[in-house]
């Protein structure tokens, strides 16, 4: 099986910073795209940022210049450095990793359990 474990969420004041981590463990052959999504109360889940294995990166317009996504392929871990946080960044943040468990299998998506980020004074 594959498990994704997220960490780093919490309560922060506007203008503050947080760093999220998401590590995949279990039977893993290769991890392809890694990404972060978020879901605020009453809203649909939205893409925050994603990064391919070749380090091609995509950001939502709302976080460009404030958030930085990165990955460590040796650790099957994706990070999200969030700076200049705003109240509207408050949401549950989920990581997504596209993983092939064995060489002959198809890759599939795995979600983390979610971590709460609250930006408030």
């Amino acid at each position: 099986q594959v498990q994704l474990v997220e960490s780093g969420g919490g309560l922060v004041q506007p203008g503050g910073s947080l760093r999220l981590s998401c590590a995949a463990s279990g039977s893993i052959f290769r991890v392809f795209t890694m990404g972060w999504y978020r879901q605020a109360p009453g809203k649909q889940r939205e893409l925050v940022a994603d990064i391919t294995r070749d380090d091609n990166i995509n950001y939502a317009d709302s976080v460009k210049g404030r958030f930085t996504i990165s990955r460590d392929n040796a650790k099957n871990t994706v990070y999200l450095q969030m700076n200049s946080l705003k109240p509207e960044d408050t949401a549950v943040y989920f990581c997504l990793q596209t993983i092939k468990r064995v060489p002959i299998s198809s890759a599939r998506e795995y979600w983390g359990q979610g971590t709460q980020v609250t930006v408030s004074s």
Side-chain angles (χ1 to χ4, degrees):
Q1 266 293 3
V2 172
Q3 278 192 319
L4 270 59
V5 178
E6 302 175 14
S7 61
L11 172 64
V12 64
Q13 292 187 342
S17 298
L18 284 174
R19 188 185 192 221
L20 305 182
S21 300
C22 172
S25 62
S27 177
I28 296 172
F29 169 68
R30 185 163 292 159
V31 182
F32 297 93
T33 300
M34 298 178 171
W36 289 96
Y37 290 71
R38 66 186 181 188
Q39 188 166 19
K43 295 188 176 182
Q44 288 190 331
R45 190 173 298 189
E46 63 176 2
L47 174 69
V48 176
D50 61 19
I51 179 169
T52 69
R53 191 170 178 84
D54 297 329
D55 289 338
N56 292 310
I57 292 172
N58 178 44
Y59 291 106
D61 288 342
S62 58
V63 307
K64 283 181 181 176
R66 300 187 298 122
F67 291 10
T68 302
I69 190 170
S70 61
R71 63 189 286 166
D72 184 334
N73 290 330
K75 296 180 179 180
N76 295 326
T77 299
V78 59
Y79 305 95
L80 186 69
Q81 177 66 43
M82 304 185 293
N83 298 329
S84 302
L85 282 159
K86 305 175 181 180
E88 50 264 44
D89 294 317
T90 295
V92 178
Y93 284 69
F94 298 89
C95 74
L96 174 67
Q97 296 195 22
T98 303
I99 296 172
K100 178 175 287 195
R101 295 183 60 190
V102 295
I104 62 170
S105 69
S106 299
R108 57 155 288 193
E109 296 180 337
Y110 293 84
W111 288 92
Q113 80 281 5
T115 185
Q116 177 70 45
V117 171
T118 302
V119 185
S120 175
S121 54

